[in-house]
Structures are given as structure tokens and as C-alpha cells.
Amino acid sequence: MIPTELLTRVQAGLAGSYRVERELGSGGMAIVFLAWDLKHDRPVALKLLRPELAAGVGIERFLREIQIAARLVHPNILPLLDSGTVELGGGLSAPYYCMPRLEGETLRERLARTGPLGEDEAVALVRDVADALDYAHGRGLVHRDIKPENIFLERGHAIVSDFGIAKAISAGGAGQTLTEQGFAIGTPAYMSPEQILGAEVDGRSDQYSLACVLFELVTGSSPFSAPSPQQVIAGHTSRQPPDLSRLRPGVAPSVTHAVQRALAKEPATRFPTASAFVEALVAPVPARQRLAVRRSLVVLAAALLVVLGVTGAWFARRRASAAPAATTLAVLPFKVSGNDSLGLGSGMVNLLSTKLDGAAALHTVDPRAILSHVGAGAAGLDAEGARAVAARFGAGYFVLGEIVAVAGNVRLDAALYDGRRAEAVARASAEGPAARVFEMVDELATRLLTAWGGGSVRLPAIAAITTHSLPALKAYLEGEAAFREGRHQAAADAFRAAVTADSLFALAWYRLSVAGEWLTRVDLAREGAERAAALSERLSEHDRLLLEALRRSRNGRPEEGEALYRSILATYPNDVEAWIQLGEVLFHFGPTAGRPVTESAPAWRRVLFFEPDNVSALLHLVRVVSVQGDTRELDSLVTVLTRLQPEGDRRLEALALRAMRSGDSAAQAAVLAQLQGASDVTLSLAAYVVACWGENLPGAVRVAQTLGAPARSRPAQTAGHLMAAWLETARGRPGAARAELAAAAAADPRAALESGTLLRLLAPGELTAAELAAAERAVAALDTAQGPSLAPSGLFIAAHDGAHGVLQDYLLGLLAARHDPAAAARYAAAVARAGIGGPAQGFMPLLAAGIRAEADWHAGRRPAALETLEREWTLGWYEPMAASPFFAVVHERLLRSEALAAAGRNEEAAKWFGSFEQFSPFSLALAPYALVRRGELLLAAGQAPAAAAAFERALWYWSDAEPVMAPLVERARAGLARARGGT
């Protein structure tokens, strides 16, 4: 079929949905057309499978694979927008799929235009691709065709296209057709040996291809020439890469060695993940692999990185080459003359950014990022200085302005600049009494866009998406400033003042919710989110998306929250709040699914690029690097935090973590002395942080015991001793745990019995009939009448506010499940219909399912137990999970792990057994036993190194175990010996 005829038929076949304009290009498998999506009024790239291949494709299977790929939502993955089939005549139809039409160029086009890239830029772009690959690999998708043509450059970042297409073509049946015609699924010059051989591939195959791309980026040529079709069919895999350092003298030794390993013929020799490959690109090279001359250079470079601050170095390099985007606008602070009582100099950044976002296809740079970067010198920016700021954030346009306030009147002047030339392309003014500031902002924005575009524009009134109240606006702006500085209580107070002045101020309610979350004030977080949701029509579309993502995460759907945050960031890559909340989801929910907290590190580092003094990002990164064991960066980050908050309570968390991680007894004694004078909230958070990320359980116990000291309030004493009891259980010290439970009972018998009963139910071994009856009598006799709310004391002290009645039913249900299924069913029904309110409400369905699954398990109906848990598995907000052994669903997590193993689903079971660390001090009690079970499953699957790591970790927990734990300790030691090849 000739090209013009094909274009005509495609135009006719898709006329109701797309206006197909012209052919953009073609490859071995598809033809690309420029088209216009009529429904959504946007340009798209429409890819049509070549007609000669389409005849041999199972279209339904092809589209099913495309549908799977369309679920990928990541800022470095070009999304699939639509797919379907088009009739081409003569009984022939072909599948197509659509992607956004990008304004940038492909990496191939960039190489053709400029030649090899600088090492830093090349590594930064490869890091983007690796982030995308790890995200997709974690969801079971391998790209199979990573090459410069499938990597787009936009705003200085790399975006991977055509995810899942090679798999779809192969699964659809066209793979054999291509092979017969002399083509391969993939591009031979970048294909891994196992892909050339037609073997099963995993993420390490994409890593191989990515290493080929990096080689080409820094040298200008591919490491391999493409094998002929005959060689591909024959399985030609004997290629050896040339020496990178010879072709590009001066390249870092770490790059040379990392590329060499990633290009290993055997997948097992490569890095475990694409991100591990990228990290190795900038990691020090072992001494035995370096020349003596290079050794001194690498050491000097490492020293310079420490001096310059490794926290933001990568992002600074990454953004240095960013090309300004024609659709991104940065509003800079206005110069002020006269009395600026409202704080409009910086406030105009918030107001105009909110007003202009979404207008004329513009997306505005996050005001927080702008204000954090320009700081106190903002008002003195000239056009050149403003252009540099805009370029830092990838903005193609920027706004500068001036406010003149005299005798109650205000004049606003603004100019819109083209960032490429720092020339004003439009100017506008508005003037009137200070009380009309909202109308003046509306007039200014409308006139500015009208002058620029030459036509009228209609924008929502700024008051409709903020407030009509000047006092409310002033309080809101003060809250934003406090939040940027990490003064979260002051921010919450200011946002509260804003909503007191205007109860319809939806944006202030939303920000109050975020501040409440950071303060672990569940009441504030819940109230703010509920009020903001009720007023969501008064939010901008951008803020509505942020609120919805927050609500999904809090309501037990973290995967949806993560996907929505990534979607927001695809449009607003400089949205500080979205980066923060993505980091929160990855950090707090990731471990519950067996994903390490280290996955959140890129998000926190991105926040620090925008806001180097962001306390939230610094604190989370402190925890991440503590887990990683990077004591140098840990010390650096804690030093920065101490400088930012010399008197702030939250710095004590970081000081405690550093001291307990260091092993320095003098530093530990000093920080414990400081913690004695801290508030209950601060001390409970410090215990939580040290327990989960300090790699020092004895130290965590000491911090928890400090919270339980007699001088503290009775609720604090209870919380401290209960946390210590669970941590002592994690250490294999049940006698010490019972002593802590007794100390807790002296302050609160009810709480101690609740926690102690659950601990006993989770312990290895069955209860005797007498023990079971005694436990049921004790729990049934509990006084569940609620006392005063403890919410102001912080979540770790008030986790069970309003929930003691349902905890009683839950425990009685678990006990009854072992001998009385009918009674267990009644208790499960009572838990399911409990209306306790608050964030813990979301856990009720899963707790009820836990009772039913326990009854099925003890009745020998193990498949039914697993089915119940999988069907009902919905978590609640992460903060109650961190603060409560009940809401951490440790029983349900353990039972699901065992049920998966019983069903022979060992890979999934091993993952679930690995989900007890890094998110709750209470779940740690089950971590060592779960690690032993994980090790046993991995060993049975032939994964000896991973099994050995699990057994070693379990033995680390039990390094000071009591004698009664000897059988389990010996079980772990025996497993470790087998994993290491011993007897």
C-alpha cells in the first residue's frame, strides 16, 4: 500500500475520533502520524502497526498488552493515551496506539545535532531512564527496545516512549512474522545477548540496552555494530564492548566500570536494577580496579562533593541543561514601594501563579519553589536575574512586577517576559483601593494575557479559588511562609486563622490538613481534608488533584495516590507539594508492600532541589541514609537540620537517630539527656524514628523507656512501655517484654492487656485450652468506656482514641477463631460495622477479615483464609499504622504471608514476609521470625544469597535473645549455613 493511499485510509477510518494530518516517520514495526485528538482537543502522535505485520497479529492480544502498558504512570514515561484498530479496506485492519505529541527531540536527534554529551548530562539523562525502567520493572513490564530513538528530551529530562509495544507485538503473534522477514523484536545494536537468543528476559536486559545508550552518549558511537539478520536469527552473542576510557579519555573510572558490568554477557553478573547501575556510575570504584593516578583524582572529587553538599548536587547538574518550556510560566516576587501590610510582594507569586495556571495552555512554576529559591533578595531581581530563575525551573516565560501603595491605594504593574531573550512581550496595570486587591489581581492577569495573545481571555476570579477576605489571605500567606521554613505549628495556627476569617477558604483548609499530618495531629489532618473536600469546587483543578491524591493515600489506596502524584508531576514537574506527598507515599506505604524506604530518596532529593531548607525532606532523607548506612551524609544532613532549627523539637529526632546509629555511647547519653526535656510528642516520634531506621534496637528501647519515665504523664508512660515491650519482642526477649507490659499496666491496665493479648496471639506456638479460656475471660472483662481524648498528645499516645470497644471485639474474635467459629463470625461482624470514626475507621474491614481468615485457617480451610484477606485488603492512613500494632495489621500481614506460602505462591509469600520492617516499631516484633520464613522460601527457590541476607538479618535482631528463643535462633543459624553452602 503506497503511503498516500495509507494516509487516506487511516484518515477515513479514524475520522470520528482523530484528524490525521500527516506522516511523521516510520520504523521497522510502526508508522507514526501527527494527529489531532478531537475529543480532548490536543495533538497526539498516532502509531499504526505496519499493514504487512498487522495481518499476522492477534489484535485482541495485542490490545490487551497495550492496555497493561497504559497503566504506567511515571514522569519519565510517555503515557499511552488510547488504542484501537482502524479498517484499511480489503478486509485488513491494523492496531494503533496514541501518545502525547512532545515538543522536544529524541536522544537520537540530539546526538545527530550536537555529537557526544558531557558526562554529567549523560548520567543525569540515564538516571531519568533508569527511574522509569525500575518503576515499570516493578510492575512486571520490560521495555525490550531501549535506544536513543525511544528516549525523548523535554525540559532537560528524558522520557521513555513505546513501553510495552515490543511485548504487545510479540504477544500478538507478529514476532514470528518479523523474524521471517529478517527483523527482531528490539534493535539488535542495543539488544542483550539473551534477547538476541530469544530467551526470557527481565529488567536486566533493559539495563544492558541502557548501558549501550550511555556508551553512545559519551562516545558518539554504539558499543556494538548491529548484527546482520542472519546473525540475529542464529543467536549471535559473542560481541565484546570496546574500552570506553579509550574512546572517551577522562571519563570517570566509575562510569567505565559500571558500563562494563552492565554489558556483561550473563544477566546475573549485571546490576540487580537499573537504578543500581546508575548509582554505580557515580560511586567510588574499588581500589583494586583503579590506576594509582586515578585514585587521587577520585578521592579529591569525593572530598569536593562533600564540601559542596551532596544532597542537591545531582539535581543541580540535572537541571543545569534544562531547556525552557514554552508552556511554563514563572511568577517572580513583585518590587514594593510603600506600606505592604498584606505581604503582597511575595504574595503575588501565590496569587498570580494560581490565577494564571491553566490559562492559555500555561502551567505555572510552584510558588513555593520560586520563593524558596529567591529568598530575601527577590524584590531586587532585574530581567536578567529573573530569566536565570525561570530557566532553573524550565520556564519559557516569566512575570516581573511592582506594587506601589500610597494612602490606602494600590497600583499593580506587571510585565510578561519571553525567557529566551529577557524581553517584555506584554505589560499591564491595575489600580484601586487596597480592599479591591482581588479584583485588581483579576484585572492584571486578564489584561496581561490579552496584551500577549491579542484577544480576550476568560479566567476564574482569584477570590473564587482563594478567598474574598483580606485577613484570611494575609493569614494564609503567613502560613505558607511558616511551612516553607519548617515551622509547622506556626503554619497550622496561621491556616487555622485563615479559615476562621473565611470558613469557605478551601485552599487554607487543605493546607491545614497537610500541616496537621506533619504534626501527627490526626484531628487537624482529618478536619482539614474533610472541609477541603466539601469545598473542592472552590479549588483550582491542580489543587483538586493534589487533594484527591492525598485522600486516596490516606484512605488505604496508596497505589492510586502514587499514580496520581506521578501524573500531576508529569504536568507540573516543579510541584513541590506533589514531590513531598509522593515521597510520603513511597516512604510510609512502600515498606508495607515489601518496597524499601530508599525508593523515596529521589523524591526527597527533588524537593531539596526546589527547597534546600525543607525540613520535611531533610528529616525523611536523614532516615533513608541511616538505613543505607551512609554515616557521612547522615552527619551532613543532621548538621543542616540543626542549623535550620537550633531550637526546634523535630531536630531532636535527627540527633537521636544519628547518635543511636553511630554507636558512640557518649553521644547517645547526651541525646537521651536532651530528650528528657522534650515534649511527649517529640519523644514518642524520636522513639519511632530510632526503632524503624536507627539500626539500633537497644537504643530504641532506651528512648521508649525515657518516654515511659515516672515523671511523664500516665498516657506517655503507657505508650513508652508498650513500645518498649514490642521492641523487646523483636529482640527475642519475651521476659523483658513482659516486664515492660507490667510497667505499662501500672499506668493503664486496659492498654497493657490489649497489647499483651495481641503479642501472645502472635507468638509462635499454640495456646493451651486453659490459656485460651483465661485470655478470653480477661479480655471480656475489659472496661472499654472511653476516657478523655488524648489527640493533642500526639498520635503515638492517642492511637486508640475511641477504639477500645472494637479492639475488645477484635481480640475476642481472634481468640474465638481457634475453637468457636460461630462466635468468631459474630465478633467479625461487630468489628466490620463499628463506627469509631477518624483515620482508624478505614482499618475495620481488614480487621474483620482477619478474624474470619483466622477461623478458616484453624479449620483447615487455608485457601479460604487467603481469599478472604486478598479480597478485603485495603489499608487506612499510614500514621495510625505506624502508631498501633492493631492498625499496623501485623496479624493479618503474617497470616497472609503464611497463607501464600501454603498455597505454593512462594515468591509472593517471600515478599510479604519481607514487609515487617521500616514502617512501624510494632511490626518489628514479627520481623525476625518473618525473615526466617522469607529465608527458607528463598533458599527453596535457589536464591541462596538473598536467603543468606534474610537469615543474617534475623540473627541481627536476635543477637541478644533470651535462652527461651534458642530453637528459633538455631533455625535461623541452620538456614544461614545452608544458604552459604554449609551443612
Side-chain angles (χ1 to χ4, degrees), residues 691-971:
C692 292
W693 305 291
E695 298 295 296
N696 184 343
L697 285 182
V701 170
R702 294 208 300 276
V703 178
Q705 289 171 335
T706 303
L707 179 63
R712 294 274 166 183
S713 66
R714 294 176 74 84
Q717 292 179 48
T718 304
H721 286 299
L722 289 181
M723 188 182 295
W726 285 82
L727 293 174
E728 291 286 23
T729 302
R731 298 177 66 198
R733 294 161 51 86
R738 286 193 294 272
E740 294 292 345
L741 287 170
D748 187 340
R750 176 178 64 182
L753 181 61
E754 290 167 347
S755 215
T757 303
L758 184 58
L759 265 175
R760 182 64 189 89
L761 286 167
L762 293 170
E766 288 293 328
L767 292 171
T768 66
E771 290 172 331
L772 192 61
E776 288 181 316
R777 286 194 299 272
V779 174
L782 275 175
D783 177 9
T784 59
Q786 301 298 326
S789 173
L790 303 175
S793 302
L795 189 61
F796 282 87
I797 294 171
H800 301 135
D801 255 12
H804 292 288
V806 73
L807 296 186
Q808 181 185 45
D809 285 337
Y810 173 69
L811 290 170
L812 289 171
L814 291 182
L815 290 163
R818 300 175 179 231
H819 67 95
D820 189 348
R826 291 194 297 272
Y827 286 120
V831 171
R833 64 172 177 265
I836 61 174
Q841 182 68 55
F843 295 96
M844 296 305 106
L846 184 51
L847 293 182
I851 297 172
R852 295 196 299 272
E854 181 80 0
D856 283 333
W857 183 267
H858 282 279
R861 298 187 297 271
R862 297 186 173 185
L866 179 58
E867 180 184 356
T868 295
L869 289 172
E870 290 187 322
R871 184 178 62 250
E872 298 291 344
W873 200 272
T874 301
L875 300 175
W877 188 11
Y878 74 80
E879 290 202 348
M881 292 181 69
S884 162
F886 296 93
F887 306 142
V889 291
V890 288
H891 164 263
E892 288 68 33
R893 194 176 303 283
L894 183 63
L895 185 56
R896 182 169 183 172
S897 304
E898 294 286 11
L900 284 166
R905 292 160 60 180
N906 291 350
E907 184 177 350
E908 294 174 78
K911 178 181 177 182
W912 279 88
F913 277 124
S915 69
F916 288 83
E917 296 188 284
Q918 297 186 356
F919 81 96
S920 166
F922 302 100
S923 68
L924 289 177
L926 277 294
Y929 172 77
L931 285 164
V932 171
R933 292 288 290 118
R934 172 177 166 81
E936 291 167 344
L937 291 171
L938 291 172
L939 193 57
Q943 300 180 45
F951 290 126
E952 286 174 341
R953 183 69 173 168
L955 289 170
W956 173 83
Y957 278 95
W958 289 334
S959 60
D960 191 28
E962 294 174 354
V964 70
M965 296 294 292
L968 280 174
V969 173
E970 184 53 38
R971 181 173 165 184

Side-chain angles (χ1 to χ4, degrees), residues 331-335 349 370-371 373-390 398-401 417:
V331 179
L332 282 299
F334 278 34
K335 181 179 178 181
V349 181
I370 294 290
L371 292 170
H373 177 64
V374 298
L381 285 174
D382 58 12
E384 276 301 322
R387 184 171 74 91
V389 174
F398 62 91
V399 173
L400 279 175
Y417 288 81

Side-chain angles (χ1 to χ4, degrees), residues 106-429:
T106 67
L107 200 48
R108 171 65 66 216
E109 291 166 337
R110 169 67 187 277
L111 286 169
R113 181 169 59 83
T114 66
L117 276 58
E119 182 183 319
D120 284 351
E121 183 183 5
V123 171
L125 293 174
V126 166
R127 187 182 290 272
D128 280 348
V129 178
D131 286 347
L133 290 176
D134 277 357
Y135 169 79
H137 295 163
R139 285 149 182 80
L141 277 177
V142 180
H143 191 287
R144 291 176 167 81
D145 197 17
I146 291 294
K147 58 184 178 182
E149 289 84 347
N150 283 336
I151 300 171
F152 282 85
L153 299 179
E154 181 148 289
R155 303 177 188 175
H157 294 285
I159 300 175
V160 184
S161 70
D162 285 357
F163 243 111
I165 304 307
K167 173 70 179 300
I169 291 174
S170 179
Q176 182 63 31
T177 305
L178 278 171
T179 303
E180 290 169 355
Q181 294 181 5
F183 292 95
I185 302 295
T187 303
Y190 303 91
M191 287 166 63
S192 66
E194 63 269 26
Q195 188 175 358
I196 290 176
L197 288 169
E200 283 294 319
V201 298
D202 58 20
R204 293 169 297 184
S205 178
D206 282 346
Q207 178 192 142
Y208 183 100
S209 303
L210 183 58
C212 291
V213 170
L214 177 57
F215 191 105
E216 187 169 0
L217 291 183
V218 296
T219 67
S221 61
S222 170
F224 308 114
S225 60
S228 68
Q230 291 74 25
Q231 288 175 314
V232 172
I233 296 170
H236 179 71
T237 60
S238 61
R239 302 176 294 175
Q240 295 296 324
D243 186 345
L244 176 60
S245 60
R246 286 187 181 180
L247 294 175
R248 181 71 179 266
V251 70
S254 57
V255 173
T256 298
H257 291 293
V259 169
Q260 185 178 34
R261 178 176 170 184
L263 290 176
K265 180 177 178 180
E266 295 297 330
T269 309
R270 299 171 204 152
F271 296 94
T273 64
S275 291
F277 162 50
V278 173
E279 295 305 324
L281 293 170
V282 295
V285 180
R288 65 180 181 275
Q289 295 178 333
R290 297 193 300 249
L291 296 173
V293 173
R294 290 180 181 172
R295 181 184 299 118
S296 60
L297 292 175
V298 173
V299 171
L300 176 60
L304 287 173
L305 281 175
V306 173
V307 172
L308 294 173
V310 295
T311 300
W314 178 74
F315 290 106
R317 291 199 308 271
R318 175 174 181 159
R319 294 302 295 248
S321 62
T327 58
T328 304
L329 172 73
V331 179
L332 282 299
F334 278 34
K335 181 179 178 181
V336 178
S337 300
N339 180 22
D340 183 20
S341 59
L342 285 175
L344 284 178
S346 58
M348 287 298 289
V349 181
N350 278 287
L351 291 175
L352 265 188
S353 295
T354 300
K355 176 77 175 175
L356 294 173
D357 188 53
L362 291 172
H363 296 303
T364 54
V365 176
D366 189 341
R368 290 178 57 180
I370 294 290
L371 292 170
S372 294
H373 177 64
V374 298
L381 285 174
D382 58 12
E384 276 301 322
R387 184 171 74 91
V389 174
R392 173 183 174 84
F393 298 107
Y397 292 90
F398 62 91
V399 173
L400 279 175
E402 183 176 5
I403 300 171
V404 180
V406 179
N409 284 334
V410 176
R411 177 182 173 86
L412 307 178
D413 293 306
L416 175 65
Y417 288 81
D418 185 329
R420 292 168 296 182
R421 299 181 297 276
E423 295 178 356
V425 295
R427 296 183 183 275
S429 299

Side-chain angles (χ1 to χ4, degrees), residues 557-620:
R557 294 179 288 170
E559 300 89 353
E560 295 179 15
E562 177 186 347
L564 192 46
Y565 282 126
R566 292 189 185 279
S567 177
I568 293 168
L569 288 166
T571 303
Y572 297 92
N574 49 45
D575 186 337
V576 180
E577 182 64 24
W579 280 116
I580 289 174
Q581 295 300 337
L582 175 61
E584 294 277 9
V585 171
L586 294 174
F587 185 93
H588 293 287
F589 281 109
T592 68
R595 299 163 65 183
V597 295
T598 51
E599 283 193 14
S600 70
W604 300 124
R605 296 189 188 278
R606 191 69 65 90
V607 173
L608 292 173
F609 167 75
F610 296 120
E611 295 186 348
D613 294 344
N614 187 288
V615 172
S616 174
L618 286 166
L619 276 171
H620 282 86

